[in-house]
Amino acid sequence: LGSMGCTALSESAAGIRSGGRTGLTVIVVAILFSLCLFLFPLVRSIPLYVSASALLFVGCSLVIKMREFNWSDVTELLPALITAIMIPLSSSVASGIGFGLGSYILLKLILGKVKQIKVSMLIWVILFILYFILHIHAV
């Protein structure tokens, strides 16, 4: 219903982490979300700035996780920082992840750690570059 793919993926991962591993979990969530559609006019009447405190809390939670970064390897640290910076700057989780993944591959290539690059990562970066080029021309 218009949600981003990254949102659906993260919600699915949260459900699995909570113990929901069967198709029944998905059906229950779909029914509950369908019921919430009727509440949309009520939710829409709430001003956007009300959600600022929740967004601030989520941001702080993410910053706390930064201590778990691998601070000793620049090819691991820099892409993680670029991702963390580009998500709010681009207003898109997908774009932030794309920039981070692209910088990861670029750093690995520059520093000669080509064996650490997985083919799937390379495919995703190529798709991101194509998406970015097509998106720029559309604007």
Side-chain angles (χ1 to χ4, degrees):
L1 294 175
S3 65
M4 297 181 304
C6 290
T7 304
L9 178 67
S10 62
E11 295 295 335
S12 177
I16 291 170
R17 187 171 184 189
S18 298
R21 300 190 194 310
T22 66
L24 183 60
T25 306
V26 177
I27 293 170
V28 170
V29 169
I31 291 170
L32 292 174
F33 272 124
S34 298
L35 293 174
C36 288
L37 287 174
F38 297 106
L39 298 175
F40 182 71
L42 177 66
V43 173
R44 192 171 172 193
S45 68
I46 300 171
L48 288 177
Y49 60 83
V50 173
S51 63
S53 59
L55 292 174
L56 184 62
F57 176 76
V58 170
C60 290
S61 298
L62 292 175
V63 169
I64 290 171
K65 286 288 192 183
M66 291 176 75
R67 69 176 173 225
E68 296 176 15
F69 287 175
N70 184 359
W71 292 87
S72 60
D73 184 5
V74 71
T75 63
E76 301 287 330
L77 175 65
L78 198 55
L81 291 175
I82 288 172
T83 302
I85 292 169
M86 287 308 296
I87 287 173
L89 287 180
S90 66
S91 298
S92 168
V93 174
S95 294
I97 292 172
F99 280 112
L101 191 57
S103 64
Y104 177 84
I105 288 179
L106 190 62
L107 281 170
K108 294 289 185 183
L109 287 173
I110 290 171
L111 297 176
K113 298 181 179 183
V114 179
K115 291 185 179 181
Q116 294 179 359
I117 300 173
K118 296 180 181 175
V119 176
S120 59
M121 290 180 179
L122 200 54
I123 291 170
W124 279 112
V125 167
I126 291 169
L127 290 173
F128 173 73
I129 290 170
L130 290 173
Y131 166 78
F132 194 69
I133 289 170
L134 294 174
H135 186 69
I136 291 297
H137 289 295
V139 175

